[in-house]
Every structure is written in C-alpha cells, then in structure tokens.
Amino acid sequence: PKLDDVESLSYGNAAKKNRGTGSRHVCHRLNAQERKLYDIAKRLGFLTVRGTGYRKERKGSPACNTYRQRCDALEDICIVIEKRTEIDTVSIDFSTLRVENDTEFVASVVENILKTKYPDLAFDDSSISSVPIDWEAVRTKPIWGVNERLIKVDCSRDEAKALALDVWNESNKF
C-alpha cells in the first residue's frame, strides 16, 4: 500500500488504489483515542496499546491493524507494546519487511539487542522458527493476508519501552 492510502483508511475514507489496500473484514478506522496512540507511534517507531488493542464493537484492533499496514507501506519492522496489568508484551513483527529471508534481521535483533542488552528476558520466536515464509503470499497479498513473523517478549513497563526503542534503533540499520 501507499502511505497516503493507509492514512486515508485510518480516517474511514477510501483508498486511492482500488484493490489490496483496505478490507471490509479488517478494521482500520481509528477513534480519537486510537488516533492519539497512532500519531505517537508514528513519532516513536512503536505502538503502545492497552491489552491487545481489541475493540469489541469493531471486532478487531484498528490501531494495531493500521499501524501494521503503515509499517508495511514503509517496509519497516512493526513493534507493538501490549500494556497489561502486571507484565507488558513487546511484539516484534518482521513480516512487514516483505523479504524472502528474514534470518539476518531476526539474528540482528536477537544477538545485538535481546541477548546483549536484555539477557535475563525470555522471548518466544516460535512463529519464526517453526513456520517458513510463504513467499508467494508476501509477494502478492495485502499485509493482513501475510502470516506475522513475531518475536514476543514479556517484561516490565520500563523494560518494554526501552526494548521497543532499542529494537527500533537496531532496525534502522536494516
């Protein structure tokens, strides 16, 4: 997608490109609170949502969907902090890079950030290590048709923000 189409969809307007940008089955229109979070995410390089960002009346997470689509348009890594009561979860999605092989990018984050700066934090990369990239989907489908390639890390709020920033800075080297 084009960045201006993502912005247009976030306001509930149509995209200029007819096919593959918006979907009636994937909520994109942001309410005022989500718009604020989305605008902050554009500045910081990562999105922060309460819980999973799920909105019952929309049957989905417009803020997460829109931010992931923005990352896809920019070919940036997608970093989301899910704020919970006691422990937050940082989700690092490599699918938005749209590459055939993300091994070097994953290794860069794992080796240079997780193992070096946060050696005490456990992380789950099972969606990357157990599922190969569906290159046909990556090449031809919109981002909601592409499997997420996630590293998930549970940590404290302060660690989550620092980790997200460190991963964002590392991803700028990709």
Side-chain angles (χ1 to χ4, degrees):
K2 299 255 188 276
L3 197 53
D4 57 340
D5 285 338
V6 174
E7 292 298 318
S8 183
L9 288 170
S10 76
Y11 285 99
N13 301 323
K16 291 177 187 163
K17 183 180 174 193
N18 289 340
R19 307 260 320 142
T21 304
S23 170
R24 295 186 191 282
H25 304 291
V26 179
C27 49
H28 299 291
R29 186 180 330 140
L30 305 176
N31 64 25
Q33 181 184 4
E34 291 161 338
R35 167 81 41 208
K36 197 172 174 182
L37 295 174
Y38 178 69
D39 288 341
I40 291 169
K42 290 192 295 188
R43 283 196 320 271
L44 295 178
F46 58 89
L47 176 69
T48 304
V49 293
R50 185 181 307 142
T52 61
Y54 184 83
R55 198 161 34 119
K56 186 177 174 182
E57 61 274 6
R58 299 286 295 146
K59 293 187 170 67
S61 177
C64 293
N65 294 341
T66 302
Y67 187 68
R68 184 171 185 235
Q69 195 163 21
R70 175 184 171 76
C71 292
D72 181 41
L74 296 171
E75 295 180 353
D76 279 340
I77 196 168
C78 182
I79 307 163
V80 177
I81 298 175
E82 298 173 353
K83 295 190 318 187
R84 311 217 184 252
T85 309
E86 296 186 20
I87 293 180
D88 294 352
T89 300
V90 179
S91 295
I92 307 161
D93 184 1
F94 293 86
S95 66
T96 53
L97 296 174
R98 297 263 184 178
V99 294
E100 191 169 2
N101 184 351
D102 59 9
T103 307
E104 68 179 280
F105 307 115
V106 173
S108 176
V109 168
V110 169
E111 297 301 324
N112 299 339
I113 303 300
L114 293 172
K115 289 186 177 177
T116 304
K117 294 187 175 186
Y118 304 91
D120 296 334
L121 294 180
F123 59 91
D124 175 11
D125 64 351
S126 59
S127 77
I128 292 176
S129 57
S130 64
V131 181
I133 292 175
D134 179 355
W135 181 235
E136 186 62 24
V138 169
R139 277 188 330 98
T140 60
K141 293 189 176 179
I143 196 64
W144 59 85
V146 176
N147 292 332
E148 291 176 315
R149 311 251 324 139
L150 296 174
I151 293 177
K152 289 189 166 247
V153 184
D154 290 335
C155 53
S156 72
R157 178 109 353 124
D158 291 338
E159 285 175 316
K161 289 179 182 179
L163 173 60
L165 195 55
D166 286 341
V167 170
W168 173 249
N169 290 331
E170 182 69 21
S171 73
N172 288 325
K173 300 175 188 173
F174 295 170

